[in-house]
Amino acid sequence: MLDYMDYVVKAFEKQTKWSSDNSYENITATSRSLLNFPIPQSFKFQTSNKSTNHSFNTLELTRGKKINGSLTYLYTDVDGLDSVLRGSNAIALQDATETYRNIQPSFSNHHVPYWGLPSQGDLLQYTPKFIPRSLYLGRLYYPSSVLEAMMIKRLSPHTQFIVKCISSTVGGSNLNYWTFCWQRYKEQNCHEWILSSNDGLCGYRILHNVMVSPSKFNNSLYNNSSLAVGAEFWLSLGSLNPGCSTSLRYCTHSANTGRPLTLTFTLNPLFGHVSTTYSAKTSANSTFTTKYDFNLYSTESNLSFGCELWRSESPIEVTSDVFHKNTVHSIAKIPHDEKMDQELLSLNDISTETNITVQDESLNNFNDNQQKYLNDLTKTFESSLQQIDKERSIIEGFENKFNNKQFSSVWKLSTSFMSKNLKILWEGRFKGFLFSAGTELLFKADEKGIQPIINPSSKFGVKVQYSS
């Protein structure tokens, strides 16, 4: 389950129209959320509230071997968070947890900056102007007296600056770590420059969206597929240790069912590590993923599986037929390409003027053939546009079916052959509270090496959240 402050940060990104899916850091976010989801290791209680329209507080208590806790304060000057944020008794469960990420193609998800709203007296003379927005977060852990801080600053419509800091006095030594990240996302490229005070770590990330332009006719690739290629490069100035990796992500939807799937490929040439993942939503209530790891140098391999099973309170009756039943009967609702419309209109004008001014029989025959050609051409594009609109409505219908459902709980399961573990997590809502309860069972062979038994170091914990 997402922490409340992470939920507010996601709302901040949504209001400022910043897509974190275009970051190289999140290129494998879908498989991570289905395979490497965190398991509570003790009892944790978290209560949060919105003090004002721009400030939020969180108090957290953890009961393990001893009682620990933290106090978090967040402030942001962005407006309109009331339309996005929900309390624990009203938030949709699919928004409160990390789940399958439905990546939108870059041409249908252009970066739209946050614009300020005009006053009533300036409506007639209003011109859009970008307004920088900021987010400040501070967290104090006790009794360890560890301080954590973060700042997100929107510098321009296409750039963002992030600063993170951790300060600790544990053990009588003062430890301060700073991380600076400058991000730029414009058109199909997302660049990130990272600098950390921890051993002088420097990094550069880039993600390039290959499919960036829609088809000429009615966006035939609309919400259908996207291909992204990225890489990262790291260098430690203290130890001069390099690091790099490259990844590929392909997302698409089934035109017949609208179900999305994601394929990723990651290569680390320095360590010879190769990783591939396959994630798909088999239905609106289930998700499946698999991951295969292989090392080129040691030839070691690992196979992991993960799945999600959602339980809904009341099924939604929205189907894809609702979205396209009207468009199948009327081509007028399907947007055509403007350039082709102008060409057809110009050809029709030529045909009309010729019929009026020229009476020659040969020209009339030519006009008849021309008109027949135009009618056949229009009929051909009409059927193609109808098919494209039908496929698009099926894809949107499947996505809306999942987003509009009222889920009461979700089960997450993950296992790995090499680690010999089984992770089970249940997340749900009860009486206005959000609950997360899970366990990680570690198996080992018995003394004879035949029958697997549960390792005593297995984990179990419960997390309770309430927010208003």
Side-chain angles (χ1 to χ4, degrees):
M1 195 73 67
L2 283 175
D3 288 341
Y4 183 75
M5 290 305 176
D6 295 334
Y7 176 53
V8 176
V9 172
K10 291 182 63 176
F12 172 83
E13 294 177 347
K14 183 177 181 179
Q15 286 299 103
T16 56
K17 302 299 186 293
W18 185 268
S19 178
S20 59
D21 293 330
N22 290 304
S23 173
Y24 181 82
E25 180 183 6
N26 297 320
I27 196 170
T28 58
T30 294
S31 59
R32 289 203 311 266
S33 64
L34 299 175
L35 294 173
N36 302 326
F37 48 86
I39 298 294
Q41 301 183 18
S42 58
F43 178 79
K44 181 184 294 185
F45 177 76
Q46 185 182 101
T47 176
S48 308
N49 74 311
K50 180 179 66 174
S51 303
T52 65
N53 292 331
H54 300 279
S55 58
F56 307 86
N57 300 308
T58 295
L59 176 63
E60 182 177 285
L61 295 175
T62 303
R63 179 65 175 92
K65 295 182 179 179
K66 60 181 180 179
I67 297 179
N68 298 319
S70 65
L71 180 63
T72 309
Y73 177 79
L74 185 146
Y75 172 81
T76 177
D77 56 1
V78 71
D79 298 324
L81 288 181
D82 292 340
S83 61
V84 181
L85 293 177
R86 297 290 183 270
S88 57
N89 59 342
I91 185 176
L93 195 61
Q94 53 268 42
D95 295 333
T97 182
E98 287 285 355
T99 182
Y100 186 95
R101 294 200 179 189
N102 194 2
I103 308 299
Q104 300 293 338
S106 57
F107 61 80
S108 65
N109 191 22
H110 282 305
H111 179 75
V112 181
Y114 181 84
W115 304 107
L117 298 177
S119 60
Q120 295 182 356
D122 297 334
L123 286 176
L124 299 179
Q125 301 178 353
Y126 171 67
T127 56
K129 182 180 179 182
F130 174 79
I131 300 178
R133 294 301 183 185
S134 305
L135 182 144
Y136 305 92
L137 182 145
R139 180 180 287 116
L140 176 64
Y141 295 89
Y142 53 87
S144 60
S145 299
V146 177
L147 180 62
E148 178 184 352
M150 181 181 67
M151 181 194 73
I152 302 177
K153 181 71 175 181
R154 293 297 307 277
L155 301 176
S156 71
H158 305 286
T159 58
Q160 179 172 273
F161 185 65
I162 302 176
V163 180
K164 296 182 180 180
C165 173
I166 295 180
S167 178
S168 174
T169 59
V170 179
S173 59
N174 294 326
L175 300 177
N176 297 298
Y177 297 106
W178 292 82
T179 302
F180 304 90
C181 179
W182 187 80
Q183 300 175 331
R184 176 177 175 83
Y185 170 47
K186 190 175 182 181
E187 296 177 352
Q188 67 265 38
N189 295 320
C190 179
H191 304 270
E192 297 178 82
W193 286 265
I194 303 101
L195 176 62
S196 176
S197 63
N198 186 12
D199 204 20
L201 186 63
C202 302
Y204 170 72
R205 294 171 176 162
I206 181 173
L207 185 69
H208 175 74
N209 292 288
V210 179
M211 298 180 181
V212 296
S213 59
S215 178
K216 187 176 181 180
F217 305 108
N218 195 28
N219 298 348
S220 62
L221 294 179
Y222 173 83
N223 203 23
N224 188 24
S225 60
S226 64
L227 178 64
V229 181
E232 63 177 353
F233 306 92
W234 298 92
L235 178 63
S236 175
L237 300 180
S239 58
L240 297 180
N241 290 328
C244 65
S245 70
T246 180
S247 300
L248 180 145
R249 180 184 64 195
Y250 177 71
C251 305
T252 187
H253 296 72
S254 172
N256 297 325
T257 61
R259 299 172 183 174
L261 63 91
T262 302
L263 302 173
T264 64
F265 173 84
T266 303
L267 171 64
N268 189 323
L270 296 180
F271 297 95
H273 184 74
V274 179
S275 176
T276 60
T277 66
Y278 173 83
S279 306
K281 288 194 69 66
T282 54
S283 68
N285 296 66
S286 61
T287 308
F288 176 81
T289 185
T290 180
K291 180 181 180 182
Y292 178 72
D293 297 286
F294 181 78
N295 191 277
L296 299 176
Y297 303 146
S298 64
T299 66
E300 291 183 350
S301 62
N302 184 28
L303 186 62
S304 304
F305 297 95
C307 67
E308 282 183 346
L309 301 175
W310 295 81
R311 181 182 179 184
S312 57
E313 296 177 350
S314 57
I316 200 74
E317 298 297 334
V318 179
T319 61
S320 58
D321 296 336
V322 177
F323 296 94
H324 70 268
K325 65 180 181 180
N326 295 328
T327 56
V328 173
H329 301 287
S330 176
I331 190 60
K333 296 184 179 181
I334 303 176
H336 295 268
D337 186 80
E338 296 181 357
K339 183 177 180 181
M340 170 156 287
D341 290 340
Q342 294 177 359
E343 293 176 356
L344 294 176
L345 290 174
S346 61
L347 290 175
N348 288 330
D349 294 339
I350 294 175
S351 176
T352 304
E353 293 177 358
T354 305
N355 287 328
I356 296 176
T357 57
V358 182
Q359 301 297 330
D360 188 78
E361 183 178 356
S362 60
L363 293 178
N364 289 334
N365 292 334
F366 172 77
N367 292 333
D368 293 340
N369 294 332
Q370 185 187 58
Q371 187 64 37
K372 182 179 178 181
Y373 170 76
L374 291 175
N375 292 336
D376 294 341
L377 188 65
T378 303
K379 184 177 181 180
T380 301
F381 283 118
E382 178 180 341
S383 59
S384 300
L385 291 171
Q386 286 180 347
Q387 181 65 24
I388 291 171
D389 187 78
K390 180 180 179 180
E391 294 177 358
R392 180 180 62 179
S393 61
I394 292 176
I395 294 172
E396 291 180 345
F398 183 88
E399 183 179 354
N400 292 331
K401 184 178 181 180
F402 175 77
N403 294 333
N404 296 331
K405 268 193 173 183
Q406 297 181 1
F407 292 103
S408 59
S409 62
V410 56
W411 284 92
K412 294 185 178 183
L413 296 95
S414 173
T415 185
S416 174
F417 286 172
M418 179 178 290
S419 302
K420 294 185 174 65
N421 67 336
L422 176 61
K423 299 172 66 176
I424 304 174
L425 179 66
W426 177 87
E427 295 179 331
R429 178 175 28 234
F430 180 75
K431 300 294 184 179
F433 290 85
L434 296 176
F435 287 85
S436 297
T439 181
E440 181 178 6
L441 303 178
L442 304 175
F443 297 93
K444 65 177 183 179
D446 57 5
E447 296 179 355
K448 298 181 180 180
I450 300 177
Q451 184 178 0
I453 60 176
I454 298 179
N455 195 323
S457 60
S458 299
K459 307 173 184 177
F460 176 79
V462 178
K463 181 180 179 181
V464 182
Q465 294 177 260
Y466 177 80
S467 59
S468 58

